[in-house]
Amino acid sequence: MTAIDGLLPYVPTTPAPRPQRVALLAFPGIRAFDLSVITEVWDSDRTLRGVPPFELRRTAADPHTPIPLRGGLTLTPDRPLTWLDELTTTDLVLVPGIEDPDADIPAPVLDALRRVHTAGTPVASLCAGAFVLARAGLLDGRRAVTHWHLADTLAARHPEIQVEPDALFVEDTGIWTSAGTAAGIDLCLHLVRTAHGAEAAASIARSMVTAPFRTGTQAQFIEHPTPRADRDADALADVRAHALAHLDEPHTVATLAARAGMSPRSFARHFQATTGTTPLHWLITQRVAAAQKLLELTDHPLPEVARRAGFGSEVTMRQHFASHLATSPRDYRNAFRHPAGNSPIAR
């Protein structure tokens, strides 16, 4: 096409997709740490690193009144709770943890949570924020998790909830809950990964200097009477690093144990105690993550992706994608594909 009479040719453009809208539910008693995690994940511009844009808003019953936080901090809301009614099924509502599970929760907050859930908007809570969802009745008949120290309390006060004492985070029909403190980071990154792909979550994790995901359960953090030996911890860390660097090679409990200088039984026991999961489950999780990245950033055919990720065959990879991600490798690539060549992994 050429310019006519000095006019530039018309080039049709596709409008940019609307950023995912994320609502932080603010009210007295919420934890400053959880606010910081949510803000770091969804309120930093990382579009130059391939992360999609987000629109994070701090919603409150009275958006004109600062909310006091522990440590002399305050939070200034920027939207009323009615903003939540504009959200859709592709958006997200986040409930930070609360300092005191016994504290009263404002009725407008509970009403707003019921409305957005009825409308089909995903809802997630961090740490003791599960008690807020429980007060709103959103967890009735569902699986949920909170900080391990509060799990028995949540179960006793709300027997209609199936409390998972060990999980880092769980999802049940559109409602997410997480365990304490750092598990909130795990959940936030997982929510990004679910909506926007593994590479977007990994990019955010790199900028936060944290792991893009942790395997295992919070059982590994519960107080135990017998401490782990430093030598065993170092040996296990070496084994994990070696396995990650050679995912395309076959690994068994026996070969991993030999590298750690342990018997297979002792290795499996120490690995579970340290990571909260079995060696083979950890290895499969790492291979699924590696395959996700290859599917997003390369044009490799599915059998080659399976080989590089260590699955051995496309069939095996497809089975693990179904069990871990509830999708197929082909559908995952179609949903989260990035242009090849923008990353060293694509070459």
Side-chain angles (χ1 to χ4, degrees), residues 55 116 121 135 141 150 190 213 273:
E55 181 184 357
V116 297
T121 304
R135 302 266 189 94
L150 297 171
H190 183 76
F213 64 90

Side-chain angles (χ1 to χ4, degrees), residues 31 34 95-98 125-131 145-147 150 177-181 183-184 187:
R31 285 164 40 92
D34 296 340
V95 180
I98 54 178
S125 70
L126 279 60
C127 196
F131 284 84
V145 66
T146 187
H147 192 289
L150 297 171
T177 51
S178 80
T181 315
L187 175 56

Side-chain angles (χ1 to χ4, degrees), residues 319-328 331:
Q319 292 170 342
H320 287 300
F321 262 64
S323 61
H324 280 70
L325 305 176
T327 189
S328 69
D331 288 344

Side-chain angles (χ1 to χ4, degrees), residues 267-347:
F267 173 79
R269 184 176 67 254
H270 284 285
F271 195 99
Q272 175 106 28
T274 303
T275 66
T277 190
T278 66
L280 293 183
H281 186 272
W282 176 87
L283 190 60
I284 290 171
T285 303
Q286 304 302 323
R287 285 175 166 159
V288 169
Q292 286 178 275
K293 195 167 186 177
L294 288 165
L295 291 168
E296 291 180 23
L297 298 178
T298 77
D299 289 322
H300 298 320
L302 295 185
E304 177 64 11
V305 171
R307 186 192 69 78
R308 293 192 178 207
F311 285 116
S313 73
E314 181 184 346
V315 172
T316 301
M317 180 174 69
R318 190 162 57 244
Q319 292 170 342
H320 287 300
F321 262 64
S323 61
H324 280 70
L325 305 176
T327 189
S328 69
R330 191 178 304 278
D331 288 344
Y332 184 88
R333 169 172 273 173
N334 290 338
F336 297 113
R337 182 76 175 89
H338 294 288
N342 291 342
S343 168
I345 195 174
R347 296 189 287 273

